[in-house]
Amino acid sequence: MIFAANFKMHHTRAGTAEYLKELDTLLAQAEFPFKTLVFPPATALQPSTDWITVGAQNAYPAEQGAYTGEIGLSQLEEFGIDTILIGHSERRNILGESQEFLAEKFAFYQERGFQIVYCVGEPLEVRQQGDEAVAEHLWEQFVGIDLDYERLIVAYEPVWAIGTGRAAKVEEIASTHAELRRRIARPILYGGSVKPTNIREIAAIADVDGVLVGSASLEVRSFFAMMEAVAPPQV
């Protein structure tokens, strides 16, 4: 199972360093059979630890260049980072990244062998139209994306459940992940108000291979508690 933490615009460099140190210690003691990813802000990027892969929330599809406010491949390489989040709904809907641009970004980092967590999700008005409308909307977000890429991880995050405290119903998650599984053989994560109180039921859903966690991952103990909740019993 994969546990991914998206800090968004939270935590400083010093705070992230403390977080990684504490979480790495807890994971070393627990030896959970999980893959752990942490995506801090660009100003807090630092090398991965023994138990945690640090990734970038965003980067421009270029090594370097005249792109004010962006970071590129050369900045990521300085920290040994080869994992990136692409397509998050906040990048799509708030910052206006088009499908064409996301596909360009995906191809650039795919060519360089990055592990890519690629996000898709639907707004509430689409969900209210039913499963067929949701499927159509989601597959449009895969235009130009290589679903056979060996380092691809897909994250399904219904936009209406991100940061709202309302997770999708088990039936909604199950039906959507089943639809995605029809064409995707890579891991599929669920994201959207995942927290310690609902992690067990989410993790038990077929075709859910892990979770992408936002606000509930900002505290080390909260994020670790999710792993403890679904960890196999020690022999």
Side-chain angles (χ1 to χ4, degrees), residues 144-204:
I145 304 302
D146 181 3
L147 298 181
D148 294 321
Y149 179 46
E150 61 182 10
R151 299 202 73 196
L152 167 66
I153 297 171
V154 170
Y156 165 61
E157 295 191 300
V159 179
W160 45 271
I162 298 174
T164 64
R166 178 184 183 267
K169 296 177 182 177
V170 168
E171 297 78 11
E172 293 170 325
I173 300 172
S175 65
T176 306
H177 277 244
E179 171 64 24
L180 294 173
R181 182 62 72 203
R182 289 197 308 110
R183 306 186 200 175
I184 298 170
R186 307 302 172 195
I188 304 174
L189 313 183
Y190 172 73
S193 296
V194 180
K195 47 198 171 186
T197 55
N198 62 17
I199 182 63
R200 284 194 182 92
E201 64 178 0
I202 291 173

Side-chain angles (χ1 to χ4, degrees), residues 3 32 34 195-197 199-200 224-232:
F3 282 85
F32 293 144
F34 304 139
K195 47 198 171 186
T197 55
I199 182 63
R200 284 194 182 92
F224 185 73
M226 295 187 217
M227 301 183 199
E228 287 184 305
V230 298

Side-chain angles (χ1 to χ4, degrees), residues 52-126:
I52 305 162
T53 297
V54 175
Q57 294 179 22
N58 175 59
Y60 199 83
E63 182 173 353
Q64 55 190 358
Y67 305 104
T68 301
E70 292 284 351
I71 62 172
L73 181 63
S74 59
Q75 285 79 35
L76 301 184
E77 288 180 334
E78 181 178 13
F79 297 99
I81 289 174
D82 71 346
T83 296
I84 186 170
L85 202 63
I86 293 178
H88 194 281
S89 63
E90 291 159 2
R91 302 287 318 172
R92 294 177 188 266
N93 302 329
I94 299 175
L95 298 169
E97 293 191 354
S98 67
Q99 185 60 35
E100 181 181 10
F101 181 62
L102 293 173
E104 178 187 351
K105 189 183 296 188
F106 187 99
F108 180 88
Y109 286 99
Q110 175 184 3
E111 185 178 337
R112 285 148 186 85
F114 270 56
Q115 176 173 241
I116 299 174
V117 178
Y118 185 74
C119 303
V120 298
E122 83 285 354
L124 183 58
E125 58 268 25
V126 173

